[in-house]
C-alpha cells in the first residue's frame, strides 16, 4: 500500500529561514521537493569531502574487523584523522608504485647478476665499454663472437643475453637490442625493495591503529551529511519579494501531519495545504502487512510505483514465494535455507531482519514444492520403499508442468485484474471497459473449453451463458476500448489489441514453464551427484566413505548455489516482465526521504 501524502507550501522571511529549516530537520518527517539547481563550488567541495569520509570509513572498517581492533573513544578531531588517513593512503600509493617499478626493473635485469656500477665506470675511464645486448636465439650469429669479444651471460627458451666489449670509437654493427643497465646494482635494488616493503608495512600498521577511531569518524560523517542536506534544502528554496522571502514545497505522510503542524505552531513561517496535482512528483512510502513488507526490497530493485498507482508488492509476494520454491524444488534444500535463516535472525541487525524473514518464507515454499515433486537432497522419494504408500501423493513431471502452467495463468489473469483496478483508480471505469471485456472473454473461454478437458462436464445452459459472456467480452474489447475514440478507431485498436493479447498471452504463459524446467534440472543434478558419491564409496576400498562425503558436500553445494541463483532470478523476471506488464505497471516513483538529522 502507498502511504497517503499531504502537500504543503511553506513561505518564510529570509532571516527566519535557517531556524525554520532546523525545526523541520528536527521533526524529520517532511520530504522537501527538490528542483534542478547548479551546485556552488562550496557545495561541490562538501560533497567531495563526504565521499572521502565514506572512503575512509569503508577501508578502516574492514581493517578494524580483520584485525579485531577495539574501538577507542579518546576524543580526537575526526577531520584530523581523515586527513591522516588520506596522507597515509597517498604515501602508501606512492611507495607501492615505486616498489612495483623497482620489482619490474629487478625482474628485467636479474639475468645480469649482481654487477658493480663502479667497476663499469672504471672500465669506461680506461677506454673499455661493456655493451649489454639481448636478441632472439634464432637471430644470434656466431660471426659476432669472431668480430667482437662476446660473452653469453644467460639464455632461455626465447632469448640470449650477452655482453660485448668494445672501445669508445669502435662502431658496433650487430642486429640486437642494446640494454642500458640501472645505475644501482642488483643487491642495492633488492635492499631498496626490502626498505620500501618495510615502509609500506609501517604505513599499514598506522592505518590499522587509525581504524580504532572509525566510530568517531562515522559520527562526524552523520553531522556533515546533515549539514550538507541542510545546505541542499536551502538551495531548493525559491526566492521572492526581492530575495526577502523563501518558498519551499514539501510532502508529509497524512498520519504524521498532526505532528508537523504541532511542531510548526510557534515557528515564524506561513504554511498552506495544497491539492496534489497529477504532475506533482509525490514521494512514495510503502506500508504493507508483516508478510508483504519483507518483499518491498524486491519492489525497490525494479522501481517504485507512481503515487496514484497500486503498490504491487502484496500482489506479487505470494507468487514470488511459490515460484522460488518451485524453481529450487528440493525439500532438503528448503530445510537448509530455514536453518540458515533462523541463524541469521540472531546475527543480523534489525534493519536487515527482512532478509532473514524472506529466507524463511522461501525455505517453507521450497519444502512444500519439494514434497510435491518428491525430491529430498536429490533423492527421489517415489523410489524409497519405506514411502511406497505415499507414492500416489507425489506429482509426476506432467503434473508439475501443468502446475507451473496453471500458476502462470492465474498470475497473468490476476495481473489483468490489477490493471483494471489501476485504470479505474487513476482514470475512470469507462477506460477499463476494454480490459474488462478481454478478461471476461478469457475467463469464459477457459471455463467453456478448459473444464471439459479436465473431465468436468458443464450443463448446456451454462455453456450458452459462457458463450454469451465471451461475445459480450469481445464486443466490449473491440468497440469500447477507449471512450475518447469513435467506434471505427476503437475497432481498429481492438484488432491490434487482439493480436497483442493472442501473442503476448502465449509467450507469457510459456515463460512460466521454466519454473518446472529449473526445478527438474536441480533434482536431476542432485540425483547425479548422489549416484557419483555412492559409486565412489563402493568402488574404493577402505577410504571410499571419504570420497562419498566429499562428492556429496561438493556436489550439493554447487547444485544448491546454482539453483538458488535461478530460483531468485527467474521469479524476478516473471514478476518484473510478465506480471508487471499485465498489471499495467508504470513506476518511476521516487522514494520518500524526509529532511532529518542523520
Amino acid at each position: 500500500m502507498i502511504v497517503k501524502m499531504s502537500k504543503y507550501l511553506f513561505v518564510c522571511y529570509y532571516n527566519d529561514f535557517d531556524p525554520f529549516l532546523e525545526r523541520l530537520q528536527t521533526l524529520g518527517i517532511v520530504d522537501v521537493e527538490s528542483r534542478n539547481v547548479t551546485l556552488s563550488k562550496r557545495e561541490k567541495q562538501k560533497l567531495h569531502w563526504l565521499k572521502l569520509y565514506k572512503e575512509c570509513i569503508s577501508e578502516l572498517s574492514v581493517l578494524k574487523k580483520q584485525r579485531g581492533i577495539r574501538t577507542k573513544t579518546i576524543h580526537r578531531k575526526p577531520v584530523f584523522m581523515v586527513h591522516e588517513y588520506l596522507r597515509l593512503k597517498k604515501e602508501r600509493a606512492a611507495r607501492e608504485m615505486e616498489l612495483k617499478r623497482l620489482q619490474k626493473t629487478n625482474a628485467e635485469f636479474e639475468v645480469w647478476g649482481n654487477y658493480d656500477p663502479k667497476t663499469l665506470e672504471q672500465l669506461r675511464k680506461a677506454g673499455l665499454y661493456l655493451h649489454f645486448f639481448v636478441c632472439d636465439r634464432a637471430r644470434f650469429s656466431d660471426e659476432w663472437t669472431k668480430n667482437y669479444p662476446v660473452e653469453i651471460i644467460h639464455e632461455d627458451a626465447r632469448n640470449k643475453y650477452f655482453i660485448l666489449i668494445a672501445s669508445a670509437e669502435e662502431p658496433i654493427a650487430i642486429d640486437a637490442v642494446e640494454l642500458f643497465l640501472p645505475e644501482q646494482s642488483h643487491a642495492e635494488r633488492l635492499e631498496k625493495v626490502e626498505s620500501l616493503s618495510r615502509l609500506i608495512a609501517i604505513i599499514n600498521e598506522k592505518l590499522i591503529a587509525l581504524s580504532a577511531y572509525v566510530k568517531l569518524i562515522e559520527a562526524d560523517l552523520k553531522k556533515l551529511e546533515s549539514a550538507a542536506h541542510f545546505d541542499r534544502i536551502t538551495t531548493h528554496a525559491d526566492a521572492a519579494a526581492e530575495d526577502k522571502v523563501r518558498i519551499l514545497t514539501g510532502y508529509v505522510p497524512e498520519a504524521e501531519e498532526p505532528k508537523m503542524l504541532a511542531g510548526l505552531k510557534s515557528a515564524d513561517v506561513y504554511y498552506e495545504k495544497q491539492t496534489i496535482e497529477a504532475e506533482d512528483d509525490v514521494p512514495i512510502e510503502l506500508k504493507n502487512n508483516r508478510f508483504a513488507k519483507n518483499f518491498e526490497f524486491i519492489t525497490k530493485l525494479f522501481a517504485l510505483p507512481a503515487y496514484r498507482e497500486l503498490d504491487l508488492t502484496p500482489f506479487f509476494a505470494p507468487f514470488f514465494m511459490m515460484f522460488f520454491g518451485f524453481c529450487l524444488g528440493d525439500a532438503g534444500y528448503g530445510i537448509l535455507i530455514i536453518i540458515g535463516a533462523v541463524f541469521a535472525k540472531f546475527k543480523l541487525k534489525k534493519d536487515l531482519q527482512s532478509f532473514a524473514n524472506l529466507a524463511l518464507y522461501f525455505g517453507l515454499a521450497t519444502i512444500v514444492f519439494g514434497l510435491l515433486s518428491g525430491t529430498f537432497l536429490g533423492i527421489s522419494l517415489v523410489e524409497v520403499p519405506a514411502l511406497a504408500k505415499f507414492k500416489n501423493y507425489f506429482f509426476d513431471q506432467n503434473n508439475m508442468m501443468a502446475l507451473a502452467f496453471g500458476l502462470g495463468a492465474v498470475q497473468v489473469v490476476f495481473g489483468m485484474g490489477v490493471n483494471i483496478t489501476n485504470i479505474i483508480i487513476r482514470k475512470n471505469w469507462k477506460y477499463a471497459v476494454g480490459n474488462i471485456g478481454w478478461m471476461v472473454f478469457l475467463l469464459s473461454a477457459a471455463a467453456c473449453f478448459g473444464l471439459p478437458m479436465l473431465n468436468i462436464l458443464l450443463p448446456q445452459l451454462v455453456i450458452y451463458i459462457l458463450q454469451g459472456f465471451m461475445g459480450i467480452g469481445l464486443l466490449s474489447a473491440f468497440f469500447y476500448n477507449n471512450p475518447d475514440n469513435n467506434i471505427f478507431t476503437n475497432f481498429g485498436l481492438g484488432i491490434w489489441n487482439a493480436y497483442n493479447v493472442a501473442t503476448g498471452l502465449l509467450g507469457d504463459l510459456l515463460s512460466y514453464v521454466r519454473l518446472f524446467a529449473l526445478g527438474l534440472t536441480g533434482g536431476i543434478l542432485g540425483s547425479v551427484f548422489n549416484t557419483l558419491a555412492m559409486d565412489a564409496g563402493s568402488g574404493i576400498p577402505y577410504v571410499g566413505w571419504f570420497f562419498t562425503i566429499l562428492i556429496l558436500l561438493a556436489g550439493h553445494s554447487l547444485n544448491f548455489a546454482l539453483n538458488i541463483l535461478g530460483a531468485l532470478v527467474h521469479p524476478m523476471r516473471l514478476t518484473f516482465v510478465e506480471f508487471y506488464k499485465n498489471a499495467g505497471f508504470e513506476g518511476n516513483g521516487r522514494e520518500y526521504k524526509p529532511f532529518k538529522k542523520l
Side-chain angles (χ1 to χ4, degrees):
M1 182 181 74
I2 297 175
V3 174
K4 293 293 182 183
M5 292 284 172
S6 295
K7 178 183 177 182
Y8 274 84
L9 179 72
F10 302 99
V11 182
C12 187
Y13 187 60
Y14 78 100
N15 278 341
D16 300 321
F17 189 59
D18 283 356
F20 161 64
L21 286 184
E22 288 174 2
R23 186 167 296 201
L24 270 190
Q25 195 174 33
T26 302
L27 287 171
I29 54 177
V30 179
D31 183 300
V32 177
E33 186 176 66
S34 61
R35 58 188 178 88
N36 293 326
V37 292
T38 303
L39 296 177
S40 65
K41 185 177 179 180
R42 178 170 170 269
E43 287 170 328
K44 289 179 180 177
Q45 190 175 20
K46 280 189 175 183
L47 291 176
H48 176 66
W49 267 103
L50 288 176
K51 181 181 176 182
L52 294 178
Y53 260 76
K54 290 176 182 177
E55 181 185 314
C56 172
I57 290 168
S58 178
E59 182 171 349
L60 294 184
S61 296
V62 172
L63 290 174
K64 185 175 184 295
K65 187 175 181 180
Q66 287 178 345
R67 298 300 185 95
I69 304 298
R70 291 185 177 181
T71 299
K72 291 185 178 180
T73 56
I74 299 173
H75 181 69
R76 289 181 61 185
K77 287 192 175 181
V79 65
F80 293 154
M81 289 185 278
V82 175
H83 276 289
E84 178 69 5
Y85 161 78
L86 294 173
R87 185 189 67 78
L88 290 171
K89 186 182 176 184
K90 183 178 180 180
E91 184 180 354
R92 183 179 63 181
R95 300 298 184 189
E96 286 177 345
M97 185 178 296
E98 186 180 359
L99 178 62
K100 286 179 181 178
R101 180 184 58 77
L102 199 55
Q103 288 173 334
K104 183 180 179 181
T105 301
N106 285 349
E108 290 177 354
F109 294 98
E110 189 177 12
V111 296
W112 304 107
N114 189 24
Y115 62 87
D116 187 354
K118 294 179 181 178
T119 303
L120 296 179
E121 181 61 28
Q122 290 173 355
L123 289 172
R124 281 195 289 269
K125 289 179 180 179
L128 293 176
Y129 287 79
L130 271 64
H131 298 272
F132 299 82
F133 288 98
V134 60
C135 78
D136 190 275
R137 289 172 62 94
R139 293 171 59 187
F140 185 84
S141 175
D142 292 334
E143 291 295 323
W144 300 345
T145 59
K146 295 177 183 178
N147 299 331
Y148 304 101
V150 171
E151 181 67 29
I152 297 174
I153 301 300
H154 178 78
E155 55 184 305
D156 53 33
R158 182 178 177 183
N159 297 319
K160 281 191 177 185
Y161 300 82
F162 58 93
I163 296 176
L164 186 151
I165 304 174
S167 62
E169 297 81 11
E170 186 176 1
I172 301 171
I174 63 173
D175 187 15
V177 178
E178 184 172 3
L179 304 175
F180 298 93
L181 272 61
E183 295 181 358
Q184 293 177 315
S185 68
H186 185 65
E188 289 172 333
R189 293 198 304 274
L190 287 177
E191 185 178 344
K192 181 66 174 176
V193 166
E194 292 179 3
S195 174
L196 286 171
S197 298
R198 286 194 296 270
L199 282 173
I200 292 171
I202 292 171
I203 293 171
N204 285 332
E205 289 300 320
K206 288 181 179 179
L207 286 170
I208 291 168
L210 199 60
S211 69
Y213 302 98
V214 70
K215 294 294 183 184
L216 290 175
I217 300 172
E218 285 177 344
D220 198 49
L221 172 63
K222 289 184 177 180
K223 293 179 183 178
L224 290 174
E225 285 180 329
S226 293
H229 197 185
F230 190 95
D231 289 344
R232 282 199 298 274
I233 296 301
T234 303
T235 60
H236 289 317
D238 291 319
E242 298 181 351
D243 207 27
K244 298 294 184 182
V245 174
R246 300 288 183 269
I247 303 171
L248 273 182
T249 301
Y251 298 89
V252 61
E254 286 185 354
E256 300 284 356
E257 199 172 351
K259 180 181 176 182
M260 184 199 75
L261 296 176
L264 297 178
K265 195 171 184 180
S266 59
D268 293 321
V269 60
Y270 168 79
Y271 50 86
E272 177 184 279
K273 188 173 182 178
Q274 297 189 316
T275 303
I276 295 177
E277 305 294 340
E279 64 274 8
D280 287 338
D281 186 19
V282 186
I284 306 300
E285 183 181 21
L286 303 180
K287 184 179 181 181
N288 289 294
N289 57 39
R290 290 181 61 184
F291 171 72
K293 188 175 181 64
N294 299 297
F295 292 81
E296 289 178 1
F297 160 74
I298 297 171
T299 299
K300 293 174 183 178
L301 283 177
F302 186 79
L304 286 168
Y307 182 65
R308 286 181 170 81
E309 274 191 298
L310 286 173
D311 174 19
L312 299 185
T313 307
F315 300 121
F316 77 70
F319 288 102
F320 197 103
M321 175 181 165
M322 287 190 291
F323 294 161
F324 181 95
F326 209 132
C327 289
L328 196 54
D330 189 298
Y333 291 165
I335 293 173
L336 292 176
I337 292 174
I338 288 177
I339 293 171
V342 171
F343 178 77
K345 281 185 74 69
F346 291 101
K347 293 292 183 179
L348 292 177
K349 295 179 181 178
K350 188 175 181 180
D351 56 341
L352 298 176
Q353 287 290 311
S354 60
F355 294 106
N357 294 333
L358 263 182
L360 279 173
Y361 293 133
F362 290 161
L364 288 171
T366 304
I367 290 174
V368 171
F369 281 90
L371 292 176
L372 279 177
S373 63
T375 307
F376 187 92
L377 295 178
I379 301 169
S380 179
L381 301 181
V382 177
E383 300 174 4
V384 177
L387 300 174
K389 60 182 179 179
F390 299 103
K391 185 176 181 179
N392 294 329
Y393 293 99
F394 298 120
F395 280 30
D396 60 18
Q397 291 183 9
N398 291 332
N399 289 334
M400 292 301 290
M401 186 173 180
L403 179 61
F405 193 84
L407 284 174
V410 170
Q411 190 181 41
V412 167
V413 174
F414 182 66
M416 294 172 70
V418 171
N419 187 26
I420 291 168
T421 307
N422 244 331
I423 293 171
I424 293 172
I425 291 173
R426 302 187 69 180
K427 297 181 180 179
N428 186 286
W429 67 269
K430 293 180 181 180
Y431 291 89
V433 170
N435 297 74
I436 294 172
W438 281 117
M439 190 170 180
V440 168
F441 170 77
L442 291 172
L443 290 176
S444 300
C448 188
F449 300 109
L451 292 178
M453 293 180 183
L454 300 175
N455 296 323
I456 301 175
L457 299 179
L458 298 173
Q460 191 62 41
L461 178 61
V462 174
I463 294 175
Y464 289 149
I465 293 173
L466 290 173
Q467 289 173 347
F469 278 127
M470 290 168 60
I472 293 170
L474 285 177
L475 287 173
S476 302
F478 274 89
F479 296 104
Y480 200 75
N481 49 66
N482 191 331
D484 296 334
N485 297 331
N486 60 50
I487 191 171
F488 300 105
T489 304
N490 278 338
F491 182 71
L493 287 174
I495 294 174
W496 176 246
N497 290 336
Y499 171 77
N500 288 332
V501 169
T503 56
L505 193 62
L506 179 62
D508 291 345
L509 292 178
L510 287 176
S511 295
Y512 288 88
V513 179
R514 294 196 192 101
L515 295 170
F516 159 72
L518 287 171
L520 180 63
T521 302
I524 291 173
L525 279 176
S527 177
V528 168
F529 285 123
N530 289 341
T531 303
L532 288 174
M534 294 303 107
D535 289 346
S538 60
I540 303 175
Y542 304 114
V543 294
W545 60 270
F546 172 76
F547 289 99
T548 296
I549 295 173
L550 183 64
I551 293 172
L552 286 174
L553 289 176
H556 280 289
S557 296
L558 177 63
N559 191 35
F560 182 71
L562 290 174
N563 281 280
I564 280 282
L565 183 62
L568 285 171
V569 171
H570 192 59
M572 283 187 187
R573 183 193 182 281
L574 294 176
T575 300
F576 298 150
V577 179
E578 276 74 21
F579 180 65
Y580 273 21
K581 179 184 69 175
N582 286 287
F585 181 77
E586 293 182 11
N588 297 323
R590 70 176 180 89
E591 189 174 1
Y592 167 69
K593 292 182 178 179
F595 176 44
K596 61 182 179 180
K597 292 183 178 179
L598 302 173

